[in-house]
Amino acid sequence: MSTGTPNRPRTLSIVILALLFFGLPFAVWLSTFLTDYLWFVDVGQRDVFVTILVSRVATGVAFGIVVFALLYVNARIARAMAPRAILTSVSQDAPPQFEEAVIQLRSKAGPIIDKIVLWGSVGFAFLIGLAMSANWDVMRLALAAVPFGEFDPQFGREISFYVFTLPALRVIADWLTPTLIFVTVFTAGVHLVDGAIQPWARLKGFAPHVKGHLSVLLAMIVASKAFDYYLRVFELNFSPRGQVIGASYTDINAQIPALRILMAIAVASTIVLLVNIRYRGWRLPIIALGVWIAASIIVGNVYPGLVQQFRVAPNEVAAEEPYIARNIEATRRAFDIEDVETRPYPAAETLTAEDVTANRTTIDNVRLWDPRIAGQTYRQLQVIRTYYEFADVDIDRYEIDGRMRQVLVSARELDTSQLAEQAQTWLNQHLVYTHGYGIVISPSNESDARGLPNFWVGDIPPESIEGLEVEQPAVYFGEMTDDYVIVNTGIPEFDYPVGESRAETIYDGKAGVQVGSFPRRSAFALRFGAPQIIFSQYIDSDSRVLFDRDLRTRLSKLAPWLSLDSDPYPALIDGRILWIQDAYTASNRYPYSEYFRGVNYVRNSVKVTVDAYDGTTTLWGFDPDDPILRAWSSIFPGLIADEADIPDEVRRHFRYPEDLFSLQAEAYKTYHMTDPRDFYNKEDAWELPGEREGIPMQPFYVLMRLPGEAVEDFHLIQPYTPRQRNNMIGWMSAKSDPADYGKRMVYTFPQGRVILGPEQVSARINQDDIIAPQLTLWSQRGSDVIFGNMLVVPLEDSIVYVQPLYLQAEQTAIPELVRVLVIYADKVEMATDLEAALLAVFGERPDDVTDEPRDPDLPGLPADAARAQDLYERAIDAQRAGDWGEYGRLIEELGRVLRELAGPFEPAPSAEDTVAP
């Protein structure tokens, strides 16, 4: 019997474990790779996949080959020069047999060392190549550099050198020096193993050929450091040393000379190391190294510090003025705020009731529904089923009955994690419940009699007003579609609920990767960790997989070089739901430009549309003059569609993106000052309202007519206050409508007057003798009083503050719009709608309101109407509390008041006529 038999099971187990440990991850990687390729083919961008793959491989191979050549060639040179005799340190009295034994040992170990050298070089080169392949985008962008048509003020270099070329050179420099150090250590190790280095003999323990070999490698390391100094000279254009980003007085007059001196010393040290090949000992290299270290400390650090402290600090304004001017010019250009138009705005207190009536369009579109608050209401009233969800509520505008109206909009998406626990099966989550359903649209300034949004589009199946018909409500692609689904299977998909039953559907779109064959089933099963895909009887030859359906993942795969806006939004266009996503090209390498949120150059160069049903994704080039976009377009021809081809109905729903606007508004707080001395002293620095408290006022969209203009436009507005003060100093506006898209204006208030800011207005509301007690009364009745976003609305030459007020009962958690606050000059009014509150400011009322005395407890309403409103609210409170006796009594009293208001035409409702829900 063989003695090896008992070990066979153990050997087999080891093999199986090894296959699982190494084989399974590789299989998952391979399946992901193959299915990604099929995904790119499905979206019509196979060339993007191939280009990225080739770029990654080429970058990794290029760096890997260089690493392998450096390692292997130097190791082979070391092996070729290995001494043939034993170490000289071995006792000269050693017997000949000992010397012969050592030589034989080396001859036997030689082949093993050669294999270690070969495969060690291959392995290290592979790892380095794999790591460096991640820089494929930097290298490709450098090769596709496009000129900006601008030059930096210090060195006269084209801006494209800094944005495209310098990052690639920095990658090479950061890779080269550590690589050469590793090669030197590796080579020294080979010499050590071969006996050419005797550590115990210290500096005398190096064979002559070793000294020459290592001197060459050390010279290469020092030369790479000289290259690093060369790049650091140009990188001073991003120096933070001075008052602003960019080369400052000290950088130019001390740091640049220091770097050039260090560069010269590094070059001289390189020459010394090469010359040292022909000399004995290490004295010259040690002297060169000592000079280099001393110069690095004294010239590179001490001298610039002394200049900064004793030359610049006492005369900083005069010394830094020209460099601050460079920074101002570069920052304004990089963030595209140099063409912001500035207009004076009187902020007068001359507004009249006639002006209010004349600005009907603006008033009709002032946003009374805060998207954050409306989101809660949407989730309570329009989710319909627990497995539906609204990611957020967005702002847009639509033409209704010949008038442009501002609306709130949100798509109803599917969240299968909210299915009943017993229904959360693989079949339900991936084959049956595959999509969301419908879109909800409501005007931003209207509510129904209950204080709830007036839905123009809503419910399931969708019901809509004329002009907003929904023809394809299914949402397969969106913000929350982050899991895969399989369509066209043997089981119908759930479409939407119908009472206690449901409607079913079969996907009719063109999206999806066919999954019917066994190899593809296996690949997707490995990718998603779902063996059900292989064994499910419902999957056939017509079945398709929809994956990477959420907007962020989808676009990050198609264009990883784009930065995505945080707020995509749905639009209803020709009866279909279309997602619109803003995307940016950005850089942190624009000379002399200040950094904001990690970048110092940005453009909204791409607008993306994604069809919610079939996933059709189009990247529209929206800023064809942007050099970064032009460079990427040359790398990925066919990916970016021409701006001229954007359909008009899509273009009408483009918004000036909030992320970009807030970034530009942040930069403009300081960079509206163009005089370097004013900038240095921060003479006129601004801030955002609430910024010091950590809750800065966010920009908001409003459809309005700007002062001095004839037509309304869809604007994004950001107010400003002076630094460390609460009064308002001005506001910035950006237009979104196609005719003037992107036009930005800043309206500045008179310096000699104090215009109340949002925080001061909030304080006035809370101190008002009529409003404050009413707020307290509502709170005592068990309702939460919620203030919406405060809006700053320009009307004619005046500023009006508008703030909606909501009540939320503890039992329902549904915010209801109950009042609108208007603050103008020294007046604070509260009414049930904006027009009434505005007219109340001037002591007038809308035409349909009788001239009756007002109830001080409910300002803005006649006494009987206020009584009716109070009875209604109390009846609703009683209903929610389940006190039906009190509810009936209040309803009867409400009927009496309403009969007095309306006349004898309607009978009063009784408690018996009222059916409890």
Side-chain angles (χ1 to χ4, degrees):
M1 183 178 292
S2 172
T3 57
T5 301
N7 292 327
R8 286 180 180 175
R10 181 182 300 175
T11 304
L12 182 61
S13 299
I14 293 173
V15 171
I16 293 174
L17 288 174
L19 287 174
L20 289 174
F21 187 78
F22 295 104
L24 186 59
F26 176 76
V28 172
W29 173 86
L30 182 61
S31 66
T32 302
F33 176 82
L34 294 175
T35 51
D36 271 344
Y37 171 77
L38 296 174
W39 183 89
F40 276 93
V41 172
D42 176 55
V43 299
Q45 295 295 344
R46 172 187 172 276
D47 289 347
V48 171
F49 178 87
V50 173
T51 299
I52 293 176
L53 176 62
V54 170
S55 300
R56 282 185 177 275
V57 171
T59 302
V61 167
F63 281 97
I65 287 176
V66 174
V67 171
F68 175 78
L70 288 170
L71 273 177
Y72 188 69
V73 169
N74 280 284
R76 290 306 304 168
I77 291 174
R79 291 287 295 143
M81 294 190 298
R84 302 303 177 187
I86 64 170
L87 300 177
T88 58
S89 61
V90 176
S91 173
Q92 296 180 358
D93 297 330
Q97 294 86 349
F98 180 80
E99 182 176 351
E100 183 178 352
V102 173
I103 293 174
Q104 288 178 358
L105 179 62
R106 287 181 184 164
S107 63
K108 291 179 180 179
I112 298 175
I113 296 174
D114 290 340
K115 289 181 180 179
I116 293 174
V117 166
L118 174 61
W119 294 109
S121 300
V122 170
F124 187 73
F126 175 78
L127 292 176
I128 293 298
L130 189 64
M132 297 305 295
S133 67
N135 294 295
W136 69 269
D137 51 346
V138 178
M139 310 311 292
R140 282 303 303 263
L141 206 55
L143 296 174
V146 173
F148 276 67
E150 304 162 6
F151 299 86
D152 87 276
Q154 178 58 38
F155 303 106
R157 289 265 189 166
E158 229 281 342
I159 300 298
S160 62
F161 168 76
Y162 297 94
V163 175
F164 299 124
T165 307
L166 187 57
L169 295 177
R170 173 46 63 192
V171 167
I172 293 171
D174 289 345
W175 158 83
L176 183 58
T177 302
T179 298
L180 289 173
I181 292 173
F182 181 83
V183 169
T184 302
V185 173
F186 187 79
T187 304
V190 174
H191 281 301
L192 179 64
V193 171
D194 281 337
I197 297 179
Q198 305 171 38
W200 48 87
R202 300 182 182 178
L203 294 180
K204 295 181 179 179
F206 292 83
H209 69 277
V210 174
K211 183 172 69 71
H213 192 182
L214 295 184
S215 292
V216 172
L217 291 175
L218 291 172
M220 294 173 65
I221 294 173
V222 176
S224 72
K225 194 60 183 175
F227 179 56
D228 174 70
Y229 290 139
Y230 172 77
L231 298 183
R232 284 170 58 183
V233 169
F234 295 107
E235 288 170 344
L236 288 175
N237 273 335
F238 318 112
S239 168
R241 187 197 297 271
Q243 282 289 310
V244 293
I245 291 295
S248 63
Y249 180 94
T250 300
D251 291 321
I252 291 172
N253 294 281
Q255 197 67 56
I256 290 178
L259 288 172
R260 287 174 175 166
I261 290 171
L262 291 173
M263 195 188 316
I265 292 174
V267 171
S269 299
T270 300
I271 297 172
V272 167
L273 284 166
L274 293 175
V275 170
N276 190 60
I277 296 173
R278 306 190 61 85
Y279 290 89
R280 298 175 61 87
W282 294 93
R283 179 174 300 176
L284 287 179
I286 291 174
I287 292 174
L289 180 62
V291 172
W292 184 17
I293 293 174
S296 298
I297 297 172
I298 298 173
V299 179
N301 293 287
V302 175
Y303 174 61
L306 293 174
V307 171
Q308 179 70 27
Q309 182 174 355
F310 296 106
R311 174 62 182 89
V312 175
N315 311 281
E316 195 167 35
V317 178
E320 299 289 7
E321 183 175 351
Y323 312 111
I324 293 174
R326 292 177 178 182
N327 172 267
I328 293 172
E329 181 181 358
T331 302
R332 289 170 62 88
R333 187 166 57 240
F335 287 97
D336 195 25
I337 56 176
E338 58 183 347
D339 59 349
V340 173
E341 182 181 347
T342 303
R343 297 180 182 179
Y345 189 76
E349 297 179 356
T350 57
L351 198 65
T352 65
E354 290 74 18
D355 293 329
V356 172
T357 304
N359 285 271
R360 170 70 60 183
T361 300
T362 297
I363 295 169
D364 286 347
N365 285 284
V366 171
R367 192 189 74 206
L368 300 182
W369 278 103
D370 184 331
R372 174 179 52 88
I373 304 299
Q376 300 178 45
T377 306
Y378 274 37
R379 291 182 181 95
Q380 293 290 333
L381 301 178
Q382 285 293 327
V383 161
I384 309 298
R385 292 290 189 271
T386 58
Y387 43 77
Y388 288 127
E389 182 58 282
F390 297 104
D392 63 354
V393 175
D394 296 296
I395 306 292
D396 201 356
R397 70 282 195 201
Y398 289 81
E399 186 174 342
I400 304 296
D401 296 331
R403 295 175 57 207
M404 196 61 69
R405 298 295 302 276
Q406 180 172 311
V407 302
L408 305 177
V409 58
S410 186
R412 187 184 293 107
E413 300 194 58
L414 182 69
D415 181 4
T416 56
S417 67
Q418 297 303 314
L419 289 169
E421 185 175 353
Q422 61 272 22
Q424 291 188 26
T425 63
W426 178 85
L427 187 69
N428 275 340
Q429 291 181 316
H430 299 287
L431 273 67
V432 177
Y433 290 87
T434 57
H435 58 278
Y437 199 84
I439 190 171
V440 178
I441 299 176
S442 63
S444 66
N445 70 317
E446 291 183 10
S447 60
D448 61 17
R450 300 167 295 170
L452 302 175
N454 180 21
F455 295 109
W456 284 351
V457 180
D459 298 333
I460 295 179
E463 296 183 3
S464 61
I465 64 173
E466 185 178 355
L468 291 178
E469 295 80 7
V470 183
E471 297 177 5
Q472 181 49 267
V475 181
Y476 284 85
F477 299 83
E479 294 184 77
M480 303 176 63
T481 50
D482 53 3
D483 206 351
Y484 72 94
V485 296
I486 305 176
V487 297
N488 295 351
T489 63
I491 184 171
E493 300 171 47
F494 172 85
D495 199 20
Y496 60 88
V498 181
E500 298 299 321
S501 183
R502 66 184 188 179
E504 297 179 333
T505 188
I506 297 294
Y507 182 66
D508 192 36
K510 59 185 179 181
V513 177
Q514 288 189 334
V515 70
S517 66
F518 180 76
R520 291 196 178 191
R521 284 195 186 202
S522 301
F524 281 108
L526 282 169
R527 178 188 182 113
F528 299 125
Q532 299 93 332
I533 296 176
I534 297 177
F535 301 107
S536 176
Q537 62 180 346
Y538 297 110
I539 299 175
D540 55 35
S541 58
D542 294 327
S543 300
R544 284 178 282 164
V545 180
L546 307 183
F547 63 104
D548 289 341
R549 299 181 295 143
D550 66 288
L551 301 179
R552 185 161 294 274
T553 300
R554 193 172 187 82
L555 298 179
S556 295
K557 287 180 68 171
L558 277 175
W561 41 274
L562 286 174
S563 299
L564 301 179
D565 190 86
S566 62
D567 188 26
Y569 56 99
L572 183 62
I573 299 174
D574 295 334
R576 299 178 71 91
I577 301 171
L578 195 72
W579 292 97
I580 299 176
Q581 169 77 66
D582 285 284
Y584 310 105
T585 48
S587 174
N588 59 0
R589 280 294 179 262
Y590 196 96
Y592 271 100
S593 177
E594 197 70 33
Y595 289 98
F596 292 95
R597 304 179 194 177
V599 300
N600 66 354
Y601 172 91
V602 65
R603 290 292 185 273
N604 177 208
S605 54
V606 176
K607 300 275 190 181
V608 184
T609 57
V610 179
D611 189 285
Y613 184 71
D614 63 23
T616 299
T617 303
T618 308
L619 283 72
W620 304 100
F622 202 64
D623 186 356
D625 295 329
D626 174 37
I628 298 179
L629 178 62
R630 288 162 56 200
W632 282 116
S633 297
S634 68
I635 296 171
F636 297 107
L639 176 62
I640 306 298
D642 196 326
E643 180 190 9
D645 296 331
I646 300 175
D648 290 341
E649 58 271 22
V650 173
R651 191 185 293 269
R652 282 194 290 268
H653 288 277
F654 283 168
R655 309 182 311 190
Y656 198 86
E658 190 172 338
D659 283 359
L660 175 63
F661 182 76
S662 61
L663 185 65
Q664 292 174 325
E666 183 179 351
Y668 201 80
K669 291 188 306 183
T670 307
Y671 285 88
H672 67 276
M673 296 180 288
T674 56
D675 182 270
R677 289 183 176 267
D678 290 344
F679 186 97
Y680 176 85
N681 293 314
K682 302 298 184 287
E683 291 282 351
D684 189 28
W686 300 345
E687 63 185 20
L688 305 182
E691 185 174 356
R692 276 173 284 127
E693 288 72 30
I695 46 173
M697 186 176 185
Q698 299 300 310
F700 56 89
Y701 291 100
V702 61
L703 185 63
M704 66 178 219
R705 177 173 58 86
L706 285 179
E709 298 194 357
V711 297
E712 291 80 16
D713 208 318
F714 194 54
H715 295 268
L716 187 55
I717 287 179
Q718 175 67 69
Y720 287 112
T721 62
R723 187 168 61 95
Q724 300 296 320
R725 294 173 62 190
N726 292 327
N727 60 289
M728 195 167 161
I729 194 67
W731 49 279
M732 176 185 278
S733 165
K735 293 187 175 184
S736 294
D737 287 344
D740 287 319
Y741 181 92
K743 184 177 181 180
R744 285 145 304 147
M745 288 156 289
V746 169
Y747 290 82
T748 56
F749 296 166
Q751 294 281 358
R753 291 179 51 218
V754 174
I755 312 299
L756 293 182
E759 293 171 287
Q760 295 168 320
V761 169
S762 294
R764 290 197 59 183
I765 293 173
N766 292 325
Q767 296 168 4
D768 187 84
D769 293 339
I770 297 177
I771 295 175
Q774 180 63 52
L775 300 180
T776 302
L777 178 62
W778 276 325
S779 298
Q780 291 174 345
R781 289 179 177 176
S783 296
D784 291 331
V785 178
I786 303 173
F787 287 98
N789 286 343
M790 182 172 290
L791 306 181
V792 181
V793 182
L795 283 180
E796 298 298 333
D797 290 334
S798 302
I799 285 292
V800 175
Y801 284 97
V802 176
Q803 187 168 34
L805 189 147
Y806 314 89
L807 289 185
Q808 178 176 296
E810 294 179 357
Q811 298 89 343
T812 63
I814 302 178
E816 300 171 2
L817 176 63
V818 295
R819 294 291 186 273
V820 180
L821 294 157
V822 170
I823 303 90
Y824 170 70
D826 59 348
K827 301 180 180 65
V828 181
E829 291 290 341
M830 183 170 70
T832 55
D833 60 70
L834 177 59
E835 182 181 11
L838 276 169
L839 292 176
V841 167
F842 307 105
E844 300 189 18
R845 285 170 293 284
D847 295 336
D848 57 347
V849 177
T850 58
D851 190 15
E852 299 183 25
R854 295 177 178 274
D855 188 329
D857 289 333
L858 293 169
L861 291 177
D864 286 345
R867 175 65 176 158
Q869 177 72 20
D870 180 57
L871 288 167
Y872 169 75
E873 291 173 353
R874 290 164 60 191
I876 293 299
D877 289 342
Q879 180 192 55
R880 290 167 179 161
D883 187 350
W884 298 109
E886 177 69 3
Y887 174 74
R889 187 189 68 77
L890 291 170
I891 286 294
E892 289 184 356
E893 179 69 12
L894 175 61
R896 183 188 65 76
V897 173
L898 292 175
R899 186 172 64 253
E900 292 176 0
L901 283 170
F905 302 106
E906 297 288 344
S910 65
E912 291 75 17
D913 296 327
T914 305
V915 179

